[in-house]
Amino acid sequence: MGKYQKIITLAVLAALIFVIYSNTLHGPFILDDGMYIVKNPQIKDLSLLWPPSPRYLTYLSFALNYSLGGLDTFGYHLLNIAVHIVNSSLVFATALLLFKTRGLKDRGLEEYALPAAVMASFFFAAHPVQTQAVSYITQRFASLTALFYLLSIACYLKWRTSGSKGRIVFYGIALLSAIAAQLTKETGFTLPVVIVLLEFAFFKGTASIGKRCVPLVPFILVMAIVPLLLFAPGIFGSGFSGLSEGTRAQQLHDLETISRHDYMATELRVMVTYFRLLILPVGQNLDYDYPFFTSFFAPAVFLSSFLVIGVFGLGIFLMGRGMKGRSPLSLIAGAGVLFFFIAISIESSIIPINDVIYEHRLYLPNAGAALFFSAALIGLFDYSKKRFKFALS
């Protein structure tokens, strides 16, 4: 695969994203932008940001924008678009690297690596459901977390598929990015789970389980950062102040006052809405007026649970099939499904949040959906190609 093909692909990808979102460059501040940016003293005085919160690096990015252009929204939107370009490129890189893993290498699928990566990255980049996370300035929380999340995954895969030269550099970047994800938004907490999933799904039999677990330990330890910052904020100093403390207080208030049972019941229905938005992105909304369900036996919830369990089960089935070597592309498709569920689990499970649905919560999980759809389409094409050759023989 020539490097020029990759460069051209990434250039076209960046141009497409810029064209799609260029009309947002002068968009005004909306909704929570007032709280997190316009009226937030922390981005105007960096000393107020310490000690760090689980959203520390996003606040720093807002502070960078403020220092360069004040409250002119152009710079904020431009950085959001740049982050989306990087994230789409990381989806491209991740897909290519998955084809170099032990689970897919030497399976006669090399010709499909670039098409699969192109489809996955363009699906992620241009899908309408990404609009909120890119054009709504405050939702840089979602997109910047995704940047560190995807960078960590890509560098981990690069470390595992590279030769000895420079390997430790990729591992180091992967680990630092994992830490950064924890300090960008709470959803970064799930990243180590994805790393573990990819290790045991795509690198089966490369070494003993013990040896493979050793480099995973630092990533697992990283998962302690978010809980420590939320429940022991004084660990790095005297505790949060200002907006950081207000956000933390609201999160703890939601945990204490919203029923986990009711939230989970509602999120089963929300998940079906998310599925529908991924497949048929019509009726999108910045702020949904969504019903709250209090019973798992409500017809809408009961039926939704079957679909959610069915999709999750499909991911398990595809991954199991791929790990047994029956269908290598199933490995990517299954991993994409499980990535989706892991990435969305913080905001759509039993951890209650006052707002039950927002489209920006699909931003990172959409990377998993992109991998699933690209692998499924390539698999369908490969199957049809083989059937056609068989018919002609």
Side-chain angles (χ1 to χ4, degrees), residues 350-365:
I350 61 170
I351 304 172
I353 306 172
N354 187 45
D355 298 302
V356 299
I357 181 173
Y358 269 120
E359 289 177 12
H360 67 257
R361 294 175 185 171
L362 275 175
Y363 185 83
L364 175 60

Side-chain angles (χ1 to χ4, degrees), residues 84-101:
H84 188 49
I85 290 173
V86 173
N87 288 340
S88 301
S89 301
L90 288 170
V91 171
F92 177 80
T94 298
L96 285 179
L97 288 165
L98 287 174
F99 277 87
K100 295 181 179 180
T101 60

Side-chain angles (χ1 to χ4, degrees), residues 31-32 36 55 87 124 127-136 138-146 149-150 185-188 190 247 250-251 254 258 262-264 266-275 277-278 284-292 336-369:
L31 300 178
D32 287 349
Y36 285 107
R55 303 188 176 194
N87 288 340
F124 180 87
H127 198 292
V129 83
Q130 306 292 61
T131 303
Q132 190 177 117
V134 182
S135 60
Y136 179 7
T138 291
Q139 291 319 320
R140 188 183 300 169
F141 286 121
S143 62
L144 193 60
T145 306
Y149 203 109
L150 294 170
K185 190 181 179 183
E186 295 81 355
T187 47
T190 61
T247 301
Q250 181 61 54
Q251 290 169 333
D254 290 346
I258 300 175
D262 295 351
Y263 187 78
M264 182 63 185
T266 303
E267 288 305 303
L268 285 170
R269 184 61 186 158
V270 168
M271 287 290 286
V272 174
T273 301
Y274 287 155
F275 293 160
L277 285 170
L278 287 174
Q284 289 183 249
N285 202 317
L286 179 62
D287 189 12
Y288 286 81
D289 182 16
Y290 210 85
F292 203 82
V337 173
L338 296 186
F339 180 105
F340 176 90
F341 278 96
I342 294 169
I344 208 167
S345 62
I346 294 297
E347 294 172 316
S348 290
S349 61
I350 61 170
I351 304 172
I353 306 172
N354 187 45
D355 298 302
V356 299
I357 181 173
Y358 269 120
E359 289 177 12
H360 67 257
R361 294 175 185 171
L362 275 175
Y363 185 83
L364 175 60
N366 198 19

Side-chain angles (χ1 to χ4, degrees), residues 23-98:
N23 64 338
T24 70
L25 286 170
H26 296 286
F29 291 118
I30 59 174
L31 300 178
D32 287 349
D33 290 342
M35 176 175 65
Y36 285 107
I37 300 172
V38 179
K39 298 179 181 179
N40 183 8
Q42 291 179 303
I43 70 169
K44 303 168 187 177
D45 182 355
L46 294 184
S47 65
L48 298 177
L49 283 175
W50 194 264
S53 70
R55 303 188 176 194
Y56 178 70
L57 292 180
T58 310
Y59 289 137
L60 277 183
S61 76
F62 292 150
L64 173 64
N65 278 130
Y66 183 80
S67 67
L68 293 175
L71 294 177
D72 182 352
T73 60
F74 178 86
Y76 295 87
H77 284 297
L78 185 62
L79 184 52
N80 273 26
I81 293 172
V83 168
H84 188 49
I85 290 173
V86 173
N87 288 340
S88 301
S89 301
L90 288 170
V91 171
F92 177 80
T94 298
L96 285 179
L97 288 165
L98 287 174

